[in-house]
Amino acid sequence: MLKTMDDIMKKAQSVRKRKLSVAVAQDLEVLTAVDNAFKNNIIDPILVGDEEAIKKIAAENNIDISNWQIMDEKDDSKAALQAVKNVSSGNADMIMKGLVSTSVFLKAVLNREFGLRTGRLLSHVAVVENANYHKLLAVTDAAMNIAPDLSAKIDIVKNAAKVMTALGIERPKVAPVCAVETVNPAMEATLHAAAISKMSDRGQLKGCIVDGPLALDNAVSKKAAEHKGIVSEVAGDADIILLPDIEAGNVLYKALVFLADVKLAAIIVGAKAPVVLTSRADSDETKLRSIALAASCVLD
Ligand code: COD
């Protein structure tokens, strides 16, 4: 079982080297992360974007891109689509969002003709290493599905469980987190949480254990759960936090990045190939870890 981000880096270095297609690559953090992933033998890049700007940033920051393939495309939407096409045509194994808005990038990923659709739901999974928690923790969905209904949440759970299983966690424990740990008909998220948990009890969700609603404190702290008298296999030991919607997901993600001392990696799963999706404000270290997480989750 992988326990740290270093473990994820090591796993990414131990598997086949991936070809990474980068959409709108003219950004220092993106190029630094790609350079480090290249030097760590995790990927060979194809950079799509404004070639002149890419070369300028690389030259100013001593990043040697002389052996990397560059595809010149100044328009962001076209660059995102070209980066996607590199994967759907089989010329790359995974794709990464660069200096482009998430929705423009995701629309290219979902493109009907050239996109990476599989017929399944695509969703965002962030994996976090935090000194205050005893293991890696996945947070989903902070960036793709805006207001998932019950069936979308079931798919979001399945996607996150696949990621954690790829990291060696046999039956990840899923906490559907709400504002309260009791079912309140006025809070729809608690109804979703209860329904998914019952499906889990009845064996309708394979490969993971779901129990909720839980509040965030009792999902990650046994003490908080005991204090409230909650008896649950998941409470205090969650591997996956399922958030009610993109607002809660994104706020938790940004709170972890900006207010806590965490190491984080983020990808989109459910597509034909792993998608590295970090926020433009994320550091090059987060982007590097995200490339490593994506490489660790490609199933050969
Ligand atoms: N998985 C699979 N297919 C999907 C998904 C998904 N998660 N979302 C949409 N689709 C398919 C639909 O079935 C449909 O066929 C087509 O895509 C268009 O669907 P719409 O009209 O609902 O979606 P779009 O194209 O308007 O937007 C899809 C986005 C993913 C771009 C949208 O949901 C979005 O903007 N999400 C939030 C992105 C964001 O701003 N994140 C900010 C945090 S970083």
Side-chain angles (χ1 to χ4, degrees):
M1 189 207 304
L2 308 193
K3 292 194 168 153
T4 64
M5 285 293 161
D6 282 348
D7 292 344
I8 293 177
M9 281 295 291
K10 281 183 199 134
K11 177 164 184 200
Q13 286 169 299
S14 73
V15 294
R16 178 177 62 79
K17 203 175 184 188
R18 319 290 179 186
K19 195 93 172 178
L20 176 69
S21 175
V22 185
V24 192
Q26 58 269 29
D27 176 72
L28 178 57
E29 273 69 32
V30 170
L31 290 178
T32 305
V34 168
D35 189 36
N36 284 330
F38 173 74
K39 285 176 177 156
N40 276 286
N41 233 17
I42 298 172
I43 55 113
D44 279 319
I46 305 176
L47 306 179
V48 187
D50 182 335
E51 185 166 1
E52 205 184 318
I54 292 171
K55 286 185 168 161
K56 186 166 181 284
I57 296 169
E60 284 169 1
N61 295 280
N62 294 321
I63 299 172
D64 179 7
I65 59 170
S66 54
N67 291 320
W68 297 356
Q69 188 182 345
I70 304 178
M71 300 175 90
D72 188 31
E73 179 50 76
K74 289 184 177 46
D75 179 87
D76 285 1
S77 303
K78 287 184 186 161
L81 201 54
Q82 180 58 54
V84 168
K85 277 186 197 168
N86 290 342
V87 179
S88 51
S89 64
N91 288 330
D93 303 301
M94 19 190 249
I95 182 168
M96 173 177 186
K97 176 176 100 81
L99 193 64
V100 55
S101 82
T102 301
S103 65
V104 166
F105 176 74
L106 288 178
K107 277 176 201 281
V109 170
L110 290 170
N111 179 280
R112 283 185 194 282
E113 212 178 332
F114 307 106
L116 305 175
R117 289 165 178 253
T118 51
R120 302 195 307 273
L121 187 91
L122 276 62
S123 57
H124 180 263
V125 181
V127 176
V128 183
E129 178 190 330
N130 179 350
N132 295 321
Y133 199 54
H134 55 285
K135 56 184 174 179
L136 292 171
L137 182 66
V139 170
T140 189
D141 175 327
M144 183 155 194
N145 292 283
I146 294 173
D149 60 13
L150 176 58
S151 84
K153 282 183 183 170
I154 292 164
D155 289 340
I156 290 171
V157 167
K158 288 181 183 166
N159 282 344
K162 274 188 198 149
V163 171
M164 295 314 262
T165 306
L167 300 185
I169 298 150
E170 223 168 89
R171 281 189 80 204
K173 297 177 183 176
V174 185
V177 162
C178 301
V180 289
E181 54 282 320
T182 47
V183 177
N184 178 343
M187 296 183 189
E188 195 185 27
T190 67
L191 301 176
H192 289 166
I196 302 170
S197 303
K198 183 48 76 179
M199 288 173 73
S200 175
D201 290 348
R202 295 281 157 94
Q204 285 178 265
L205 280 172
K206 306 284 180 221
C208 61
I209 305 166
V210 189
D211 193 33
L214 291 171
L216 185 61
D217 55 349
N218 39 62
V220 296
S221 159
K222 273 218 172 1
K223 206 169 152 197
E226 277 163 20
H227 192 69
K228 289 200 169 152
I230 296 166
V231 179
S232 159
E233 210 180 331
V234 173
D237 196 34
D239 296 293
I240 297 169
I241 301 290
L242 170 71
L243 278 316
D245 58 21
I246 197 170
E247 321 293 351
N250 204 265
V251 170
L252 179 57
Y253 179 97
K254 297 272 165 68
L256 288 166
V257 172
F258 289 96
L259 298 173
D261 189 12
V262 298
K263 290 180 181 167
L264 188 143
I267 55 173
I268 296 277
V269 278
K272 278 185 193 149
V275 178
V276 179
L277 191 136
T278 51
S279 165
R280 275 173 286 182
D282 281 326
S283 67
D284 59 280
E285 286 100 338
T286 295
K287 292 182 200 303
L288 170 62
R289 289 183 204 114
S290 304
I291 295 170
L293 177 63
S296 304
C297 292
V298 181
L299 301 174
D300 287 314

